[in-house]
Each structure stands twice: as C-alpha cells, then as structure tokens.
Amino acid sequence: MLSRVNTRVLVVDDEAGVRKALERGLRAEGMDVVTAADGPSALRLARTGTFDALLLDIMLPGLSGYRVLQRLREEGVRTPVILVSAKDGEIDQADGLDLGADGYLVKPFSFVVLRAQLRAVLRRTGGDRARGVVRLGGLEIDRSAREVRFDGATVALSPREYALLETLARGAGTVLTKDDLLAEVWGDERAATRNVVEVYVGYLRRKLDAVGAGDMVRTVRGHGYQVTSG
Amino acid sequence: MLSRVNTRVLVVDDEAGVRKALERGLRAEGMDVVTAADGPSALRLARTGTFDALLLDIMLPGLSGYRVLQRLREEGVRTPVILVSAKDGEIDQADGLDLGADGYLVKPFSFVVLRAQLRAVLRRTGGDRARGVVRLGGLEIDRSAREVRFDGATVALSPREYALLETLARGAGTVLTKDDLLAEVWGDERAATRNVVEVYVGYLRRKLDAVGAGDMVRTVRGHGYQVTSG
DNA sequence: GACGTCGCTGAGAACACGCTGAGGAATCGT
DNA sequence: ACGATTCCTCAGCGTGTTCTCAGCGACGTC
C-alpha cells in the first residue's frame, strides 16, 4: 500500500487565503486537493468528473458558483457539490439546494462542520465513487452505462480494461505506478504480477488506437502510466 | 404520472405549534404528513420504513433526536433524515451528519429552506417513485395495471418477470449488476444464486422477442444488464 | 558500443461468464 | 384431484476474458 488513490476534492474560492487554509486542512485529512480561483477554471476542472466532491464558493469572478453548479448538472456531471456562501441569505440557500447542491455552508464556518458535511456527502455517494461522466479531451467514460466513447465512437472494453482505463482517467494528470494500478484495479491481493498491467495497457492502447485515441495513455519510464487530455 | 402516491414525511417536534405549522405547510406542498411529539413514538413510527423523509428535532422528551437517528441507522432503516436543532452548535452538526443525517436545519429556519432541503434529499434518494406509465422506446410499462406493451401488443409476464423488467426499466440507461437485481427483485433475505437472474433475463428476452423487442435487454459482460430505448 | 533494465507484444492455457434445456417443487385455478 | 403456471436449481456448452510466459526491442549508463 504505497501511494493509494485518495479522495479528490476540488476547492473553489477567489480568496487565496481561504484556498490555502482549506487545502492544508483537507490534505491533513488525507485527501487530494485541487484548487481553482474563478468560475471558468472551476467548470473546466469539474467537468472532467474526476473529483469525489466539490467545495464551491458562490461569489466568484467570471462565473458565479450557482452557474457553475447549474452547468455541471446540465452536462450530466453528478459530482457532489457543497456550496459556500459569504452571508446567510436564505433565498440563496433555497436556490442552491434546488439546483442540485448536496450541502451548504455559511462563512465563517468551522473546519469541524466542513469535515462533517464532506463526510456525509461522501458517505452518501459511498463506495459508488460518483456515477457521473468522466470527460478527458475527446474521451468520455459513462460510468452509469459503463460505456466508453471517443469522439462519439464507442469502444468495447472488457471489465478489466474498463476498470484500468477508469482508474487512469480518474487520476487524470498524475502518474500512477504499476503497483498503484495493481492495488486499485486488481485488488489488494498480491495475485498478479506487474507484467499484467503492461499487457492490459497494451490491450487498451490497441483498442483506443482503433478510434484515434492511441496516444492518450502515456508511459513514463521507470514510474508508471498517465492519461492526458491531449 | 397518473395515480401518484404522495410523499410521506414524518415530522417530529415536541412543540405542538411547530408541528402544526410544519404540517400545514408541507400538506400545502402536496405531501402526506404524520407527526410525533417524543422520541419513542418517533422511533416506532419511523422504523416501519414507510416514510420518504424524516424531519427530526434534536431536543425531544424520552429519547433525543440523535438517539432516534442512531437507532434507526443501526436497525438498517435508511430513510433520509433532516435534523433540526434549536441553536447553532457546531459540534452538534458534525455529530449529526456523521451519524447518518442527510441534512441539517437550525431554528429558526424559513420554510423556503426547509422545502429546499427536503427536495434535495428526496431527489437524491429518488423519492420520485412515481406510479404510472414508464415508456422506453416502443415499450410501455403500466405500473398501476401491471401491464407491459410493446408497440401496442401486450406481453404476458409472470410476477417475477414483471418485477425484473420494471427494475431494469427504472434504471434505464444504467447498468445494473446481478447483485443489484437480486437485492431489488428477489429481496435481501433470499439466498438465491446469481444464475436465477440469468434465467429470468432469458425468459424476458424470449417473451420480448415474440413482439419484436428482443434486443431491449442488453448484456454487459462482467458487469450486468441494461435496458436501452434502442 | 556493450550491457542491464524496462516495457511491449504474440501465443496459448486455464478460467470465468452467460445462456439454455431439463426437471423438480410449490402454488394456483378449476 | 388435476393440469397449468411459476419459481428455481443444476449441469453442460460455447465463447470471451484473464493471466503467464518467453522473446524482443527500446532506453539509459558506463
């Protein structure tokens, strides 16, 4: 159990201080944290569907937290969202929850409450690990239909191949070692050799190649594999 | 959506005035409301599992809201619960959410916020167990008449076959594993093997085939089954 | 340029998965 | 009581999938 794939949280706030504080706190809880400072970049990051939860401030430059949430839901992204508002406006609360938010916090909030809300939200979406759509470049992984498409063309994958691709895509951008992948995809049992990962990456590449996405899975020699949006 | 069964909400509060107000308000929303004034009776009512949501005050005579919630979860009752507290104690919120609450309100709260939380909670749990007709492509499932048609032709199904098809259709677009289906259609108590699902999918397909809908139930090897409109 | 390490791939054996026909037990309707 | 219906188990078959192995090429280092 070296570097497990942790819970991934996206923190969106325009104040750098708040971002830093939340990032540090959540990391201490053992979560992977990614931050964004404005609406558009929050939307861009969130729509990849690779997060387990979003912490979304309402007051944002570019695109309000409301709009970000609204857009995400429209696009079928069902990642749990906790809205954060600066002042206790009741109407705001109502609107936010109706838009599909899963929780609500009013500044200033204590870290204890934040952690509790996060846990509640994660418990609900449970081992399910969010049933939305993962998008990466032209690649689409529909987790509820268990279907993979690239530029519209569906790619038929075996269960193992699918699990591997999903795991790689969920860690989008980061390099996953073969041991990481063995633990995540093959389970904690030491039943399989490392070579099986290479074999299955090969299978994946061949099938992705057939639809023009051959170079999505990149080898990082000596370290592992990585999927990129290019 | 013909003969809809209303959403049933259990309201628990020791103050008669609060109970009355909430009852009137929620009824106006078209919900069925049952009230309880103390912990033990709340527990007795809630454990029947016939409610779509619980509105649970924390300060209660006999048994605190916490304990009621705790007991329910221990007993496997997963009805969504919104906790109501008299004062804004942070620790309370944290504890409550960790105990398995689905929402949290602080008195005094506006009805708008309450309604929003309720809706959010109901949306999540799919409290939308609408009766009526499910349509999928040429397929029609009349749930009140327990009748299935395809392009006008009725399909005679046994109870099990019907339950299976209905469950599959309700999850339209998503892949349901055999274990999902066993739990939903056969019930948790059953010690049925997974093969029975395969057998019944076979029965279904044969009957649907006879009216030209043979390819509606798709096998996703290694994952489960899925009904598609195509 | 030689060597060891690392990653890729084709072949093939073992296995798991899903489908089906047969049949037994229980229940229902007449 | 009788057949019809329903529910479920079982065993067998075909096929897809998983995984190991061995060989080979690519890469980096000295």
Side-chain angles (χ1 to χ4, degrees):
Chain A
M1 229 183 283
L2 294 169
S3 47
R4 246 191 68 77
V5 177
N6 291 320
T7 304
R8 278 165 58 92
V9 179
L10 175 61
V11 171
V12 188
D13 201 299
D14 56 334
E15 294 171 56
V18 175
R19 284 201 303 277
K20 268 274 152 55
L22 290 176
E23 188 175 353
R24 199 165 27 217
L26 293 176
R27 272 201 213 288
E29 296 282 318
M31 300 176 182
D32 287 345
V33 180
V34 178
T35 60
D38 59 276
S41 47
L43 189 57
R44 187 168 40 75
L45 282 162
R47 89 161 35 112
T48 63
T50 59
F51 294 95
D52 296 295
L54 256 73
L55 209 58
L56 188 57
D57 195 35
I58 289 176
M59 289 286 293
L60 286 177
L63 203 67
S64 85
Y66 281 148
R67 308 303 295 263
V68 172
L69 173 57
Q70 198 174 20
R71 289 271 198 91
L72 286 175
R73 294 296 184 246
E74 278 170 15
E75 294 175 19
V77 179
R78 269 171 289 178
T79 309
V81 171
I82 296 177
L83 279 180
V84 179
S85 112
K87 47 177 185 280
D88 192 354
E90 283 175 343
I91 305 300
D92 292 352
Q93 274 195 49
D95 284 354
L97 286 161
D98 273 349
L99 274 174
D102 298 87
Y104 196 85
L105 286 171
V106 178
K107 282 186 194 173
F109 52 82
S110 84
F111 192 75
V112 179
V113 172
L114 163 60
R115 200 185 49 193
Q117 285 247 17
L118 256 182
R119 269 199 232 146
V121 150
L122 292 173
R123 172 163 34 72
R124 275 200 295 266
T125 54
D128 228 3
R129 203 118 203 188
R131 291 217 138 205
V133 181
V134 176
R135 253 173 275 255
L136 245 113
L139 190 74
E140 272 185 27
I141 306 178
D142 186 335
R143 289 142 115 182
S144 50
R146 285 215 149 89
E147 222 174 47
V148 175
R149 265 154 304 178
F150 186 82
D151 285 345
T154 61
V155 187
L157 296 182
S158 85
R160 267 285 135 79
E161 292 162 359
Y162 176 89
L164 177 60
L165 179 59
E166 201 212 293
T167 305
L168 281 168
R170 227 176 36 217
T174 68
V175 178
L176 298 174
T177 69
K178 286 174 200 171
D179 284 328
D180 287 344
L181 294 168
L182 270 179
E184 279 282 319
V185 177
W186 275 262
D188 301 309
E189 314 297 333
R190 247 286 152 79
T193 72
R194 251 172 236 173
N195 176 244
V196 74
V197 180
E198 294 159 9
V199 173
Y200 271 82
V201 166
Y203 293 163
L204 262 186
R205 286 213 254 245
R206 195 184 311 173
K207 291 193 176 180
L208 289 175
D209 225 4
V211 292
D215 55 350
M216 287 211 64
V217 182
R218 197 163 296 173
T219 303
V220 183
R221 190 164 231 267
H223 293 100
Y225 299 95
Q226 176 187 32
V227 290
T228 54
S229 40
Chain B
M1 261 181 250
L2 293 172
S3 55
R4 229 187 93 80
V5 174
N6 287 332
T7 304
R8 277 168 55 90
V9 180
L10 174 61
V11 172
V12 189
D13 200 299
D14 56 332
E15 294 172 57
V18 175
R19 285 202 303 277
K20 268 274 154 54
L22 291 176
E23 188 175 353
R24 197 165 29 215
L26 294 176
R27 273 202 211 288
E29 296 281 317
M31 300 177 182
D32 289 344
V33 180
V34 177
T35 60
D38 60 276
S41 48
L43 189 56
R44 187 168 39 74
L45 283 163
R47 86 163 36 113
T48 63
T50 59
F51 294 95
D52 296 297
L54 256 73
L55 208 58
L56 188 57
D57 195 35
I58 289 176
M59 290 287 292
L60 285 177
L63 203 66
S64 84
Y66 281 149
R67 308 301 297 262
V68 172
L69 172 56
Q70 198 174 18
R71 288 271 197 90
L72 286 176
R73 293 298 184 245
E74 278 169 16
E75 294 175 18
V77 178
R78 269 170 289 180
T79 309
V81 170
I82 296 177
L83 281 180
V84 179
S85 113
K87 48 177 184 278
D88 193 352
E90 285 173 344
I91 305 301
D92 292 351
Q93 273 196 52
D95 285 354
L97 286 163
D98 273 349
L99 271 175
D102 298 87
Y104 196 85
L105 286 171
V106 179
K107 284 184 192 173
F109 52 83
S110 84
F111 194 74
V112 180
V113 173
L114 164 61
R115 197 185 52 192
Q117 285 247 16
L118 257 181
R119 269 197 231 149
V121 150
L122 292 172
R123 172 162 30 74
R124 274 200 297 266
T125 55
D128 200 9
R129 43 165 190 197
R131 300 228 153 227
V133 182
V134 176
R135 250 173 276 259
L136 238 110
L139 190 73
E140 274 184 25
I141 305 178
D142 187 335
R143 288 152 112 180
S144 44
R146 293 216 136 204
E147 218 175 49
V148 175
R149 267 154 307 190
F150 185 81
D151 285 346
T154 61
V155 187
L157 296 181
S158 84
R160 265 288 134 79
E161 292 163 359
Y162 175 87
L164 177 59
L165 180 59
E166 199 212 290
T167 305
L168 281 168
R170 229 177 29 221
T174 73
V175 176
L176 299 174
T177 68
K178 285 174 200 171
D179 286 328
D180 287 344
L181 293 168
L182 270 179
E184 278 279 320
V185 178
W186 276 263
D188 302 300
E189 305 298 327
R190 271 290 174 190
T193 71
R194 260 173 227 173
N195 176 245
V196 74
V197 180
E198 294 158 11
V199 173
Y200 270 81
V201 166
Y203 292 163
L204 261 187
R205 285 213 255 245
R206 198 181 309 173
K207 292 194 175 179
L208 289 174
D209 225 4
V211 293
D215 54 350
M216 287 210 65
V217 182
R218 190 165 75 94
T219 302
V220 184
R221 189 168 230 265
H223 296 121
Y225 298 95
Q226 176 189 33
V227 290
T228 54
S229 41

